[in-house]
Amino acid sequence: MLSDVRTQPFQPGRGPLSPGSRAGLGAALALLALVSVVELTDGRAAHYLALMVAAPLLAAAMASWRVVLGLGVLATGIAAAFAVGEQAASLVTAVNVAAVALATPIGAAVAAVRQRQAEQIAELSRLAAVAQQAVLRTLGPQVGTVAVAARYISSSTSAEIGGDLYEAMDTPYGVRMIIGDVRGKGLDAVRLASIVLGSYRHVAYERADLRAVVTDLDRAVARNVGDEDFVTAALVEERGGTLTIVNCGHPPPLLLRRGAVIPLEPPAPAPPLGFMPVVRPRVERLEPGDRLLLFTDGLGEARRDGEFFPTADRAWRLLGHGTVADGLASLETALVEWVHGRLDDDIALVLMEYTGPHSGVTAAVPSWEVGAAES
């Protein structure tokens, strides 16, 4: 699912100072103290009061407007005190004190504008998260005969959101899952992702064959995209211990079995949804305890210093322990550490574990055999 929001945004004027306000206040106070010490050691003549103008302007870059205003009043008071203590008042000193006083409202206004912009960005980020949560629902922990967990790792803290998508459902034709990636970012990508998921949630219950599901999804995408837009996707079905995968230009899932990691490449390549893909299913027989990792290409593109994250080499150690949710948490931690917290693309992850058939339940015919069974 979407990355959890762990902190609440700072509300100006409520509670303690934010870290930014504390930093701005500290830097400005240090400047005032330095100028004051220099003036005191220099004698009765005030030569450096103009430097105090920088105090409210420096605080405006990080602190709230209230902090800037209070600091400006303090700086003006200190400058006025030095001016009064000067042996012979000069026009230059008076101008310097006036400059400090004038910098105070200017700095407060700058801080207020910056603060409003920061609040708008925070609100956009929150709305983006809500929009994406409306598309991606929480999966698991159990869907039919498989344990499932999903995770969404965002590459950005701004309001920009991507079109990665996933879903898992227990249908009359077995447990069916999809993972996909819409070309592009932003609300257009989320809109197309919602169209794909809406169509999938309907046709997955209606079509016995995954190839028919792909055909329906391709039509839905083609009706709603431009000539250069597309959606890569991998569709998975578990039925009676048989795993069926069809792939439309998407990274192949990884099968984790007894310490081995097996990429499940499609029998033949197929283009993404929107380009009329003709898919050939890949079929595997599952064993209890097998795990399958579905992911978007952001995982394959994650790198540091030109070296890609070794997903296949580390998959079993990271994903083969605990619950499927534990495995995804380990993978995310290792990935973020590998890239030093800087990802180039959003990443959607789905990890499933086949727990074996329910006792007393007759294994159903996989979708790829339905036509043969009925003929």
mmCIF file of all heavy atoms in Angstrom, residues 43-90:
data_model
loop_
_atom_site.group_PDB
_atom_site.id
_atom_site.type_symbol
_atom_site.label_atom_id
_atom_site.label_comp_id
_atom_site.label_asym_id
_atom_site.label_seq_id
_atom_site.Cartn_x
_atom_site.Cartn_y
_atom_site.Cartn_z
ATOM 1 N N GLY A 43 34.312 50.231 20.456
ATOM 2 C CA GLY A 43 34.256 51.562 21.065
ATOM 3 C C GLY A 43 32.870 52.146 20.989
ATOM 4 O O GLY A 43 31.873 51.470 20.695
ATOM 5 N N ARG A 44 32.766 53.487 21.254
ATOM 6 C CA ARG A 44 31.475 54.165 21.320
ATOM 7 C C ARG A 44 30.864 54.425 19.947
ATOM 8 O O ARG A 44 29.662 54.611 19.847
ATOM 9 C CB ARG A 44 31.637 55.495 22.063
ATOM 10 C CG ARG A 44 32.109 55.361 23.504
ATOM 11 C CD ARG A 44 31.100 54.596 24.352
ATOM 12 N NE ARG A 44 29.824 55.288 24.441
ATOM 13 C CZ ARG A 44 29.557 56.249 25.332
ATOM 14 N NH1 ARG A 44 30.475 56.634 26.196
ATOM 15 N NH2 ARG A 44 28.366 56.831 25.342
ATOM 16 N N ALA A 45 31.648 54.448 18.897
ATOM 17 C CA ALA A 45 31.118 54.698 17.554
ATOM 18 C C ALA A 45 30.471 53.431 17.003
ATOM 19 O O ALA A 45 31.023 52.342 17.112
ATOM 20 C CB ALA A 45 32.226 55.170 16.624
ATOM 21 N N ALA A 46 29.279 53.577 16.398
ATOM 22 C CA ALA A 46 28.544 52.436 15.835
ATOM 23 C C ALA A 46 28.849 52.330 14.350
ATOM 24 O O ALA A 46 28.362 53.129 13.548
ATOM 25 C CB ALA A 46 27.050 52.610 16.065
ATOM 26 N N HIS A 47 29.678 51.341 14.010
ATOM 27 C CA HIS A 47 30.096 51.192 12.617
ATOM 28 C C HIS A 47 29.441 50.009 11.902
ATOM 29 O O HIS A 47 29.467 49.933 10.675
ATOM 30 C CB HIS A 47 31.617 51.009 12.546
ATOM 31 C CG HIS A 47 32.389 52.193 13.042
ATOM 32 N ND1 HIS A 47 32.309 53.437 12.463
ATOM 33 C CD2 HIS A 47 33.264 52.309 14.076
ATOM 34 C CE1 HIS A 47 33.104 54.290 13.105
ATOM 35 N NE2 HIS A 47 33.698 53.626 14.104
ATOM 36 N N TYR A 48 28.884 49.052 12.665
ATOM 37 C CA TYR A 48 28.488 47.775 12.053
ATOM 38 C C TYR A 48 26.994 47.482 12.203
ATOM 39 O O TYR A 48 26.556 46.350 12.007
ATOM 40 C CB TYR A 48 29.290 46.630 12.683
ATOM 41 C CG TYR A 48 30.773 46.845 12.628
ATOM 42 C CD1 TYR A 48 31.465 47.253 13.778
ATOM 43 C CD2 TYR A 48 31.483 46.661 11.450
ATOM 44 C CE1 TYR A 48 32.836 47.467 13.737
ATOM 45 C CE2 TYR A 48 32.853 46.877 11.413
ATOM 46 C CZ TYR A 48 33.523 47.284 12.549
ATOM 47 O OH TYR A 48 34.873 47.503 12.497
ATOM 48 N N LEU A 49 26.204 48.490 12.553
ATOM 49 C CA LEU A 49 24.775 48.241 12.762
ATOM 50 C C LEU A 49 24.071 47.768 11.491
ATOM 51 O O LEU A 49 23.062 47.054 11.560
ATOM 52 C CB LEU A 49 24.105 49.518 13.272
ATOM 53 C CG LEU A 49 24.555 50.014 14.653
ATOM 54 C CD1 LEU A 49 23.740 51.225 15.069
ATOM 55 C CD2 LEU A 49 24.434 48.915 15.701
ATOM 56 N N ALA A 50 24.571 48.179 10.327
ATOM 57 C CA ALA A 50 23.930 47.776 9.065
ATOM 58 C C ALA A 50 23.898 46.260 8.897
ATOM 59 O O ALA A 50 23.015 45.716 8.213
ATOM 60 C CB ALA A 50 24.638 48.431 7.881
ATOM 61 N N LEU A 51 24.837 45.567 9.532
ATOM 62 C CA LEU A 51 24.865 44.109 9.419
ATOM 63 C C LEU A 51 23.645 43.463 10.071
ATOM 64 O O LEU A 51 23.281 42.325 9.740
ATOM 65 C CB LEU A 51 26.151 43.558 10.039
ATOM 66 C CG LEU A 51 27.468 43.943 9.342
ATOM 67 C CD1 LEU A 51 28.649 43.391 10.121
ATOM 68 C CD2 LEU A 51 27.485 43.431 7.912
ATOM 69 N N MET A 52 23.028 44.168 11.019
ATOM 70 C CA MET A 52 21.858 43.605 11.690
ATOM 71 C C MET A 52 20.657 43.481 10.760
ATOM 72 O O MET A 52 19.687 42.779 11.086
ATOM 73 C CB MET A 52 21.495 44.452 12.907
ATOM 74 C CG MET A 52 22.521 44.379 14.033
ATOM 75 S SD MET A 52 21.963 45.216 15.521
ATOM 76 C CE MET A 52 23.353 44.889 16.619
ATOM 77 N N VAL A 53 20.686 44.181 9.630
ATOM 78 C CA VAL A 53 19.614 44.035 8.641
ATOM 79 C C VAL A 53 19.471 42.571 8.215
ATOM 80 O O VAL A 53 18.368 42.099 7.904
ATOM 81 C CB VAL A 53 19.896 44.937 7.430
ATOM 82 C CG1 VAL A 53 18.916 44.669 6.305
ATOM 83 C CG2 VAL A 53 19.848 46.406 7.839
ATOM 84 N N ALA A 54 20.597 41.851 8.193
ATOM 85 C CA ALA A 54 20.568 40.458 7.720
ATOM 86 C C ALA A 54 19.832 39.526 8.662
ATOM 87 O O ALA A 54 19.401 38.442 8.256
ATOM 88 C CB ALA A 54 21.997 39.952 7.497
ATOM 89 N N ALA A 55 19.667 39.911 9.951
ATOM 90 C CA ALA A 55 19.063 38.999 10.931
ATOM 91 C C ALA A 55 17.625 38.631 10.573
ATOM 92 O O ALA A 55 17.305 37.442 10.440
ATOM 93 C CB ALA A 55 19.165 39.603 12.329
ATOM 94 N N PRO A 56 16.708 39.603 10.397
ATOM 95 C CA PRO A 56 15.331 39.194 10.027
ATOM 96 C C PRO A 56 15.241 38.570 8.646
ATOM 97 O O PRO A 56 14.402 37.688 8.403
ATOM 98 C CB PRO A 56 14.539 40.505 10.110
ATOM 99 C CG PRO A 56 15.548 41.583 9.976
ATOM 100 C CD PRO A 56 16.801 41.053 10.610
ATOM 101 N N LEU A 57 16.099 39.002 7.718
ATOM 102 C CA LEU A 57 16.069 38.414 6.375
ATOM 103 C C LEU A 57 16.574 36.973 6.403
ATOM 104 O O LEU A 57 16.073 36.111 5.674
ATOM 105 C CB LEU A 57 16.903 39.265 5.419
ATOM 106 C CG LEU A 57 16.436 40.711 5.248
ATOM 107 C CD1 LEU A 57 17.357 41.457 4.278
ATOM 108 C CD2 LEU A 57 14.991 40.761 4.774
ATOM 109 N N LEU A 58 17.585 36.711 7.237
ATOM 110 C CA LEU A 58 18.084 35.343 7.377
ATOM 111 C C LEU A 58 17.020 34.452 7.998
ATOM 112 O O LEU A 58 16.789 33.328 7.540
ATOM 113 C CB LEU A 58 19.349 35.350 8.240
ATOM 114 C CG LEU A 58 19.974 33.982 8.557
ATOM 115 C CD1 LEU A 58 20.430 33.284 7.284
ATOM 116 C CD2 LEU A 58 21.147 34.146 9.532
ATOM 117 N N ALA A 59 16.354 34.940 9.030
ATOM 118 C CA ALA A 59 15.307 34.140 9.673
ATOM 119 C C ALA A 59 14.134 33.891 8.732
ATOM 120 O O ALA A 59 13.471 32.848 8.812
ATOM 121 C CB ALA A 59 14.826 34.849 10.939
ATOM 122 N N ALA A 60 13.869 34.838 7.802
ATOM 123 C CA ALA A 60 12.738 34.692 6.888
ATOM 124 C C ALA A 60 12.876 33.480 5.976
ATOM 125 O O ALA A 60 11.880 32.961 5.470
ATOM 126 C CB ALA A 60 12.590 35.959 6.045
ATOM 127 N N ALA A 61 14.114 33.028 5.759
ATOM 128 C CA ALA A 61 14.328 31.883 4.873
ATOM 129 C C ALA A 61 13.871 30.577 5.497
ATOM 130 O O ALA A 61 13.608 29.601 4.782
ATOM 131 C CB ALA A 61 15.799 31.795 4.491
ATOM 132 N N MET A 62 13.760 30.546 6.858
ATOM 133 C CA MET A 62 13.447 29.277 7.516
ATOM 134 C C MET A 62 12.351 29.379 8.560
ATOM 135 O O MET A 62 11.613 28.421 8.779
ATOM 136 C CB MET A 62 14.718 28.708 8.176
ATOM 137 C CG MET A 62 15.800 28.289 7.205
ATOM 138 S SD MET A 62 17.320 27.751 8.032
ATOM 139 C CE MET A 62 18.012 29.340 8.501
ATOM 140 N N ALA A 63 12.229 30.505 9.233
ATOM 141 C CA ALA A 63 11.318 30.617 10.363
ATOM 142 C C ALA A 63 9.955 31.149 9.934
ATOM 143 O O ALA A 63 9.775 31.640 8.815
ATOM 144 C CB ALA A 63 11.935 31.524 11.430
ATOM 145 N N SER A 64 8.989 31.071 10.848
ATOM 146 C CA SER A 64 7.658 31.604 10.595
ATOM 147 C C SER A 64 7.691 33.124 10.668
ATOM 148 O O SER A 64 8.613 33.730 11.224
ATOM 149 C CB SER A 64 6.674 31.048 11.618
ATOM 150 O OG SER A 64 6.956 31.565 12.905
ATOM 151 N N TRP A 65 6.623 33.757 10.146
ATOM 152 C CA TRP A 65 6.613 35.218 10.119
ATOM 153 C C TRP A 65 6.557 35.803 11.529
ATOM 154 O O TRP A 65 7.081 36.884 11.776
ATOM 155 C CB TRP A 65 5.449 35.725 9.279
ATOM 156 C CG TRP A 65 4.080 35.455 9.849
ATOM 157 C CD1 TRP A 65 3.291 34.385 9.603
ATOM 158 C CD2 TRP A 65 3.361 36.300 10.759
ATOM 159 N NE1 TRP A 65 2.118 34.482 10.296
ATOM 160 C CE2 TRP A 65 2.118 35.664 11.007
ATOM 161 C CE3 TRP A 65 3.631 37.522 11.369
ATOM 162 C CZ2 TRP A 65 1.164 36.206 11.864
ATOM 163 C CZ3 TRP A 65 2.670 38.070 12.208
ATOM 164 C CH2 TRP A 65 1.463 37.416 12.453
ATOM 165 N N ARG A 66 5.930 35.079 12.466
ATOM 166 C CA ARG A 66 5.886 35.568 13.843
ATOM 167 C C ARG A 66 7.278 35.609 14.459
ATOM 168 O O ARG A 66 7.638 36.562 15.161
ATOM 169 C CB ARG A 66 4.958 34.686 14.682
ATOM 170 C CG ARG A 66 3.479 34.783 14.312
ATOM 171 C CD ARG A 66 2.641 33.897 15.222
ATOM 172 N NE ARG A 66 1.216 34.050 14.959
ATOM 173 C CZ ARG A 66 0.542 33.384 14.048
ATOM 174 N NH1 ARG A 66 1.183 32.509 13.285
ATOM 175 N NH2 ARG A 66 -0.744 33.574 13.874
ATOM 176 N N VAL A 67 8.060 34.572 14.190
ATOM 177 C CA VAL A 67 9.429 34.542 14.692
ATOM 178 C C VAL A 67 10.250 35.664 14.058
ATOM 179 O O VAL A 67 11.030 36.347 14.719
ATOM 180 C CB VAL A 67 10.070 33.168 14.411
ATOM 181 C CG1 VAL A 67 11.567 33.184 14.752
ATOM 182 C CG2 VAL A 67 9.367 32.082 15.210
ATOM 183 N N VAL A 68 10.060 35.848 12.751
ATOM 184 C CA VAL A 68 10.801 36.906 12.049
ATOM 185 C C VAL A 68 10.439 38.276 12.609
ATOM 186 O O VAL A 68 11.311 39.137 12.827
ATOM 187 C CB VAL A 68 10.514 36.841 10.539
ATOM 188 C CG1 VAL A 68 11.160 38.024 9.817
ATOM 189 C CG2 VAL A 68 11.013 35.529 9.955
ATOM 190 N N LEU A 69 9.158 38.497 12.854
ATOM 191 C CA LEU A 69 8.722 39.781 13.381
ATOM 192 C C LEU A 69 9.315 40.045 14.762
ATOM 193 O O LEU A 69 9.824 41.144 15.050
ATOM 194 C CB LEU A 69 7.201 39.822 13.444
ATOM 195 C CG LEU A 69 6.557 41.176 13.765
ATOM 196 C CD1 LEU A 69 6.932 42.200 12.699
ATOM 197 C CD2 LEU A 69 5.042 41.033 13.867
ATOM 198 N N GLY A 70 9.272 39.047 15.634
ATOM 199 C CA GLY A 70 9.842 39.219 16.965
ATOM 200 C C GLY A 70 11.336 39.459 16.920
ATOM 201 O O GLY A 70 11.878 40.297 17.657
ATOM 202 N N LEU A 71 12.013 38.723 16.033
ATOM 203 C CA LEU A 71 13.461 38.896 15.915
ATOM 204 C C LEU A 71 13.802 40.270 15.359
ATOM 205 O O LEU A 71 14.778 40.905 15.780
ATOM 206 C CB LEU A 71 14.020 37.802 15.002
ATOM 207 C CG LEU A 71 15.536 37.710 14.934
ATOM 208 C CD1 LEU A 71 16.095 37.218 16.243
ATOM 209 C CD2 LEU A 71 15.954 36.787 13.804
ATOM 210 N N GLY A 72 12.982 40.760 14.407
ATOM 211 C CA GLY A 72 13.217 42.080 13.846
ATOM 212 C C GLY A 72 13.058 43.177 14.877
ATOM 213 O O GLY A 72 13.825 44.153 14.903
ATOM 214 N N VAL A 73 12.052 43.035 15.737
ATOM 215 C CA VAL A 73 11.866 44.015 16.823
ATOM 216 C C VAL A 73 13.079 44.008 17.747
ATOM 217 O O VAL A 73 13.570 45.064 18.179
ATOM 218 C CB VAL A 73 10.573 43.706 17.593
ATOM 219 C CG1 VAL A 73 10.473 44.578 18.849
ATOM 220 C CG2 VAL A 73 9.361 43.930 16.704
ATOM 221 N N LEU A 74 13.577 42.801 18.059
ATOM 222 C CA LEU A 74 14.761 42.693 18.908
ATOM 223 C C LEU A 74 15.965 43.345 18.247
ATOM 224 O O LEU A 74 16.725 44.107 18.886
ATOM 225 C CB LEU A 74 15.052 41.215 19.208
ATOM 226 C CG LEU A 74 16.337 40.935 20.003
ATOM 227 C CD1 LEU A 74 16.270 41.574 21.381
ATOM 228 C CD2 LEU A 74 16.571 39.419 20.107
ATOM 229 N N ALA A 75 16.174 43.050 16.945
ATOM 230 C CA ALA A 75 17.320 43.642 16.239
ATOM 231 C C ALA A 75 17.211 45.166 16.191
ATOM 232 O O ALA A 75 18.205 45.884 16.369
ATOM 233 C CB ALA A 75 17.402 43.067 14.826
ATOM 234 N N THR A 76 15.998 45.680 15.957
ATOM 235 C CA THR A 76 15.806 47.131 15.915
ATOM 236 C C THR A 76 16.102 47.756 17.282
ATOM 237 O O THR A 76 16.731 48.823 17.374
ATOM 238 C CB THR A 76 14.370 47.459 15.487
ATOM 239 O OG1 THR A 76 14.099 46.857 14.222
ATOM 240 C CG2 THR A 76 14.163 48.962 15.400
ATOM 241 N N GLY A 77 15.661 47.084 18.346
ATOM 242 C CA GLY A 77 15.934 47.587 19.685
ATOM 243 C C GLY A 77 17.415 47.629 20.004
ATOM 244 O O GLY A 77 17.919 48.605 20.595
ATOM 245 N N ILE A 78 18.135 46.562 19.612
ATOM 246 C CA ILE A 78 19.580 46.532 19.867
ATOM 247 C C ILE A 78 20.276 47.638 19.072
ATOM 248 O O ILE A 78 21.162 48.355 19.587
ATOM 249 C CB ILE A 78 20.154 45.153 19.512
ATOM 250 C CG1 ILE A 78 19.593 44.079 20.454
ATOM 251 C CG2 ILE A 78 21.681 45.173 19.574
ATOM 252 C CD1 ILE A 78 19.994 42.672 20.099
ATOM 253 N N ALA A 79 19.893 47.784 17.794
ATOM 254 C CA ALA A 79 20.506 48.836 16.971
ATOM 255 C C ALA A 79 20.217 50.218 17.541
ATOM 256 O O ALA A 79 21.096 51.105 17.577
ATOM 257 C CB ALA A 79 19.985 48.723 15.541
ATOM 258 N N ALA A 80 18.989 50.435 18.005
ATOM 259 C CA ALA A 80 18.653 51.733 18.591
ATOM 260 C C ALA A 80 19.447 51.991 19.856
ATOM 261 O O ALA A 80 19.876 53.138 20.127
ATOM 262 C CB ALA A 80 17.154 51.790 18.882
ATOM 263 N N ALA A 81 19.665 50.946 20.661
ATOM 264 C CA ALA A 81 20.440 51.110 21.889
ATOM 265 C C ALA A 81 21.875 51.523 21.575
ATOM 266 O O ALA A 81 22.451 52.406 22.234
ATOM 267 C CB ALA A 81 20.411 49.815 22.690
ATOM 268 N N PHE A 82 22.469 50.916 20.561
ATOM 269 C CA PHE A 82 23.830 51.307 20.176
ATOM 270 C C PHE A 82 23.851 52.740 19.635
ATOM 271 O O PHE A 82 24.802 53.494 19.864
ATOM 272 C CB PHE A 82 24.381 50.336 19.136
ATOM 273 C CG PHE A 82 24.964 49.089 19.721
ATOM 274 C CD1 PHE A 82 24.346 47.859 19.525
ATOM 275 C CD2 PHE A 82 26.136 49.128 20.475
ATOM 276 C CE1 PHE A 82 24.882 46.709 20.071
ATOM 277 C CE2 PHE A 82 26.678 47.972 21.021
ATOM 278 C CZ PHE A 82 26.038 46.750 20.823
ATOM 279 N N ALA A 83 22.808 53.104 18.881
ATOM 280 C CA ALA A 83 22.755 54.460 18.338
ATOM 281 C C ALA A 83 22.630 55.501 19.447
ATOM 282 O O ALA A 83 23.276 56.564 19.405
ATOM 283 C CB ALA A 83 21.582 54.589 17.371
ATOM 284 N N VAL A 84 21.825 55.216 20.466
ATOM 285 C CA VAL A 84 21.673 56.141 21.587
ATOM 286 C C VAL A 84 22.975 56.264 22.366
ATOM 287 O O VAL A 84 23.347 57.347 22.854
ATOM 288 C CB VAL A 84 20.518 55.686 22.499
ATOM 289 C CG1 VAL A 84 20.495 56.480 23.794
ATOM 290 C CG2 VAL A 84 19.192 55.811 21.774
ATOM 291 N N GLY A 85 23.711 55.170 22.466
ATOM 292 C CA GLY A 85 24.961 55.191 23.214
ATOM 293 C C GLY A 85 26.121 55.803 22.469
ATOM 294 O O GLY A 85 27.222 55.939 23.022
ATOM 295 N N GLU A 86 25.913 56.113 21.205
ATOM 296 C CA GLU A 86 26.991 56.721 20.422
ATOM 297 C C GLU A 86 27.275 58.134 20.933
ATOM 298 O O GLU A 86 26.363 58.897 21.273
ATOM 299 C CB GLU A 86 26.589 56.757 18.943
ATOM 300 C CG GLU A 86 27.738 56.992 17.991
ATOM 301 C CD GLU A 86 27.283 56.892 16.534
ATOM 302 O OE1 GLU A 86 26.102 57.184 16.260
ATOM 303 O OE2 GLU A 86 28.095 56.508 15.685
ATOM 304 N N GLN A 87 28.568 58.505 20.972
ATOM 305 C CA GLN A 87 28.963 59.810 21.507
ATOM 306 C C GLN A 87 28.362 60.943 20.682
ATOM 307 O O GLN A 87 27.809 61.901 21.222
ATOM 308 C CB GLN A 87 30.494 59.949 21.512
ATOM 309 C CG GLN A 87 31.168 59.121 22.593
ATOM 310 C CD GLN A 87 32.672 59.301 22.588
ATOM 311 O OE1 GLN A 87 33.249 59.766 21.608
ATOM 312 N NE2 GLN A 87 33.302 58.945 23.690
ATOM 313 N N ALA A 88 28.442 60.851 19.399
ATOM 314 C CA ALA A 88 27.899 61.888 18.515
ATOM 315 C C ALA A 88 27.009 61.206 17.479
ATOM 316 O O ALA A 88 27.500 60.456 16.623
ATOM 317 C CB ALA A 88 29.022 62.650 17.818
ATOM 318 N N ALA A 89 25.723 61.453 17.593
ATOM 319 C CA ALA A 89 24.789 60.813 16.663
ATOM 320 C C ALA A 89 25.070 61.271 15.240
ATOM 321 O O ALA A 89 25.324 62.445 14.991
ATOM 322 C CB ALA A 89 23.355 61.162 17.046
ATOM 323 N N SER A 90 25.041 60.334 14.309
ATOM 324 C CA SER A 90 25.329 60.630 12.907
ATOM 325 C C SER A 90 24.168 60.199 12.034
ATOM 326 O O SER A 90 23.345 59.340 12.417
ATOM 327 C CB SER A 90 26.612 59.932 12.459
ATOM 328 O OG SER A 90 26.424 58.525 12.464
#
